[in-house]
Amino acid sequence: MDIQAILSAATGGHGAVNPYAAIAYLVSGILFILALRGLSSPATAQNGNRFGMIGMAIAVVTTMLTHTPVGADGLLDTISLVEILVAIGIGAVIGIVMARKIAMTAMPQLVAAFHSLVGLAAVAVAAAAYLNPGAFGIADAAGQIHTVSRVEMGLGIAIGAITFSGSVIAFLKLNGNMSGSPIMLPGRHVINLGTLAAIVALTAWFTQDQSPWVFWTITGLSFLIGFLLIIPIGGADMPVVVSMLNSYSGWAAAAMGFTLGNTAMIITGALVGSSGAILSYIMCRAMNRSFISVIAGGFGADAAAGDGGSKEQRPWKPGSADDAAFLMSQAENVIIVPGYGMAVAQAQHALREMGDLLKKEGVNVKYAIHPVAGRMPGHMNVLLAEANVPYDEVFELEDINGEFAQCDVAFVIGANDVTNPSAKTDKTSPIYGMPVLDVEKAKTVLFVKRSMGGVGYAGVDNDVFYMDQTMMLLGDAKKMADDIVKALNGGGH
């Protein structure tokens, strides 16, 4: 097979391939790989972002040059070209505005929203290819769509529709428009399995019969199963759901890349799909969950455990910023545990200043990050990097959990579920089995929380609040951190 045939096969076989375009797509693919590599560490994340932007720019420009709209007379179709450029411009403006205005606390739901758009785009491409296969070069002279293209189309529209509707539910839960508690439908497993089986069977049938009812039934059932899969998943498991939907969006893009004969889409989709799947698997292992049950939508709390039970009135010990400043300044080792409460209050900068002041007083300061702290993978790492916390002071759960027993003070700021020991002992808890940070083993626990009335996203109370060595620091996380900084600066402790 010569190089032209290889390039043609690599791009789906849809006609002749411009070798320069193939090289440009290959370069963009390499840049996307470098982007993923860069994003694996906060220290290289900025370069990773730059690689990704350059790669996407190359892919877009190449596609525009190789697919310039031409009219029936063989001349440039300026109207279509203007429409394309206007659409790109609108998308660019929306992206720039959102990037500048969206707070880090809203980033998880923004990511879910973006995933939904990727899924919807895959559905739109598949629908366009189905309605006008000749324009895509995927049909014979009689208008019959090639069998392999029907497989690509069926997979693309099914995964895309599931990604869209599932991401919409994830967005609503993360944004507070829908309860974070699991919503258990009667007979949901039977309904889900039946719907998935119907989608698979119809996709197989679509390879033999391209009737409209088959195509649109696959589409409708795929939208439905996306809702059904995500609704029963509890809020504590949302970070894994975001990662899983990220993987789905990648596979949807890859499937449509084959339909369009676009190498860049295939490479990008495969990268996003595989990296998202690997991340989901790693997070599931960190949470002691089953990856298969995540995909099947059976993950999360059982119905009996979904409400977290009634909240008891138990004695607890109040503290102040001055108390916290004194205890930490006298400590040898302090481990800081950030959570979503820190993100909401935007307290990361004050927290870093507090850590710097403690280090000046000879205290050994470390930061402990749970893999699902916050509302998306890496949420806490990004916030701490934004506040210029040194990377060598930030440790993942498996690397630091053994140090809490020798720790003088564990300073927990807005992290409830990931420090809750009921995950290790209470089989009725919706977070049972999830590895948590062992803050209760520290000699002293300082727990920053807005009020004693609230609970974590999983909806369960935390026994750490009521332990003898725990001092509760109630109030806004940023104000509390600022007050501790003032106390440390004042030297009055």
Side-chain angles (χ1 to χ4, degrees), residues 272-438:
V272 173
S274 56
S275 60
I278 292 169
L279 179 59
S280 298
Y281 176 72
I282 291 172
M283 293 178 68
C284 286
R285 288 191 62 184
M287 296 175 67
N288 196 27
R289 306 291 196 186
S290 165
F291 183 62
I292 299 300
S293 67
V294 178
I295 297 173
F299 161 43
D302 292 331
D307 59 3
S310 58
K311 194 175 187 314
E312 296 180 53
Q313 295 297 320
R314 298 158 66 183
W316 51 277
K317 186 188 303 180
S320 66
D322 288 332
D323 296 329
F326 175 77
L327 288 168
M328 287 192 287
S329 65
Q330 299 302 309
E332 184 176 341
N333 296 297
V334 171
I335 298 178
I336 299 172
V337 181
Y340 189 64
M342 181 199 76
V344 171
Q346 291 289 288
Q348 62 268 27
H349 296 281
L351 190 67
R352 190 261 306 157
E353 188 177 357
M354 182 189 84
D356 289 346
L357 288 172
L358 289 173
K359 285 186 290 182
K360 286 181 180 178
E361 298 195 24
V363 181
N364 180 30
V365 177
K366 294 182 179 180
Y367 297 79
I369 306 295
H370 192 281
V372 294
R375 293 293 183 268
M376 66 180 292
H379 198 177
M380 295 300 105
N381 302 75
V382 172
L383 288 174
L384 294 180
E386 179 190 347
N388 295 317
V389 171
Y391 306 130
D392 58 358
E393 294 178 7
V394 181
F395 296 86
E396 301 295 331
L397 177 145
E398 63 272 13
D399 297 322
I400 201 169
N401 228 15
E403 297 188 25
F404 281 102
Q406 291 79 43
C407 170
D408 297 303
V409 177
F411 184 83
V412 185
I413 180 165
N416 188 358
D417 297 332
V418 299
T419 62
N420 196 333
S422 70
K424 296 179 280 189
T425 57
D426 185 1
K427 292 185 178 181
T428 67
S429 173
I431 59 173
Y432 177 71
M434 181 180 81
V436 293
L437 292 162
D438 297 333

Side-chain angles (χ1 to χ4, degrees), residues 32 106 138-139 144 166 173 213 278 298 309 326 368-369 387 417 436 441 452 474:
F32 292 145
I138 59 173
Q144 290 295 306
K173 288 197 173 196
W213 75 267
I278 292 169
F326 175 77
I369 306 295
D417 297 332
V436 293
K441 294 181 180 179
M452 292 300 294
L474 302 185

